[in-house]
């Protein structure tokens, strides 16, 4: 991290980073049915049928190179830019890495001289407008969605291997494109504050289990694919008020309100 102020009005902050996450999962379970006598509390005793359940082995890796730049001029004009390159092991090699950008701007109107000299400053103690746009990749798509997999099975009582998942070599990143426009206002020297936002999150390349015809003989009749697009849209309001700020007693009030419109645009 580099953090420096130049000439008392130019503030610059730079960040560069590297992240690596390695996750392994080993789970084991069983289902017991047909209890003969609840007196026997050992695992096997007292149950007529014990079958494996929820057995799973999984592994995935995530790696990221990220950077961020923040600049403000005299605490009035604010600019931020971010870039990250993420890689996820669950995607095929050709599409394993994705590049994601983001940025934001802000204007502290209450720091301007024309505002301080106006009658509004007697009522509004803080006023800021802001906007941002950013891209984020989703890795919550499973450990091996791009691979064709085999698993242990039995056929006519004989141990064997069977196809457990059909892979997809063309699987790509599922990406969220997020836009946010907001305003922060404070009244009466900060005793009452309001935060209002409009947001829209457009998700492209939605990874879903695309249904397949049973005649294809594919396990679970599905293949993970980029088959959808959707968006979430709405507003968020948050109001805070310090009603009483005495030495021995304080009373604060908070009110929040939000809306959400969700629509699938491609499937």
């Amino acid at each position: 991290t580099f953090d420096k102020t130049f000439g008392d009005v130019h503030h610059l902050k730079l960040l560069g980073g590297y992240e690596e996450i390695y996750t392994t999962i080993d789970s084991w379970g069983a289902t017991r049915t047909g209890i003969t006598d609840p007196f026997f509390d050992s695992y096997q005793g007292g149950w007529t049928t014990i079958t494996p359940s929820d057995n799973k082995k999984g592994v995935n890796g995530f790696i990221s190179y990220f950077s961020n730049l923040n600049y403000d001029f005299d605490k009035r004009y604010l600019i931020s830019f971010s870039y990250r390159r993420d890689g996820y092991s669950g995607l095929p090699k050709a599409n394993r890495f994705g590049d994601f950008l983001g940025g934001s701007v802000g204007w502290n109107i209450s720091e301007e001289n024309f505002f301080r000299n106006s009658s509004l400053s007697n009522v509004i103690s803080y006023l800021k407008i802001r906007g941002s746009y950013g891209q984020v990749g989703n890795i919550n798509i499973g450990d091996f969605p791009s691979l064709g997999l085999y698993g242990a099975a039995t056929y006519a009582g004989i141990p064997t291997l069977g196809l457990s998942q059909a892979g997809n070599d063309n699987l790509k990143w599922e990406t969220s494109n997020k836009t946010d426009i907001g305003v922060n206002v404070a009244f009466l020297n900060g005793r009452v504050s309001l935060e209002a936002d409009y947001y829209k999150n457009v998700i492209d390349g939605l990874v879903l289990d695309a249904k397949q015809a049973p005649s294809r003989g594919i396990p679970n009749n599905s293949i993970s694919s980029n088959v959808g697009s959707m968006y979430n849209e709405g507003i968020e309001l948050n109001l805070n008020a310090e009603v009483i700020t005495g030495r021995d007693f304080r009373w604060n009030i908070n009110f929040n309100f939000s809306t959400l419109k969700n629509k699938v645009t491609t499937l």
Side-chain angles (χ1 to χ4, degrees), residues 46-67:
W47 301 89
T48 61
T49 305
I50 300 178
T51 57
S53 174
D54 196 31
N55 295 319
K56 181 180 179 181
K57 294 180 70 68
V59 59
N60 66 69
F62 173 78
I63 189 173
S64 177
Y65 308 89
F66 55 89
S67 61

Side-chain angles (χ1 to χ4, degrees), residues 168-181:
N168 181 0
D169 291 338
N170 298 315
L171 201 63
K172 299 179 181 180
W173 277 91
E174 176 184 308
T175 305
S176 297
N177 305 278
K178 302 181 179 182
T179 302
D180 186 279
I181 301 173

Side-chain angles (χ1 to χ4, degrees), residues 35-144:
I35 186 171
T36 58
D37 192 331
F39 175 78
F40 297 103
D41 58 3
S42 62
Y43 190 82
Q44 293 180 344
W47 301 89
T48 61
T49 305
I50 300 178
T51 57
S53 174
D54 196 31
N55 295 319
K56 181 180 179 181
K57 294 180 70 68
V59 59
N60 66 69
F62 173 78
I63 189 173
S64 177
Y65 308 89
F66 55 89
S67 61
N68 180 255
L69 181 150
N70 289 281
Y71 169 79
D72 73 80
F73 175 76
D74 200 23
K75 298 182 180 180
R76 289 182 290 169
Y77 313 112
L78 307 102
I79 298 175
S80 177
F81 174 79
S82 64
Y83 166 77
R84 59 185 302 140
R85 181 169 174 79
D86 297 336
Y88 181 59
S89 62
L91 295 170
K93 287 185 177 181
N95 304 322
R96 186 158 294 172
F97 280 88
D99 300 295
F100 306 101
L101 304 175
S104 65
V105 293
W107 181 22
N108 282 328
I109 302 177
S110 54
E111 295 292 327
E112 298 285 358
N113 290 329
F114 72 83
F115 184 88
R116 292 177 176 178
N117 297 329
S118 69
S119 58
L120 283 176
S121 62
N122 298 326
V123 180
I124 301 176
S125 53
Y126 181 76
L127 177 60
K128 175 185 177 181
I129 58 175
R130 48 187 167 75
S132 65
Y133 173 81
Q135 299 172 321
V136 179
N138 178 25
I139 64 173
N140 297 313
I141 58 175
D143 292 340
F144 314 108

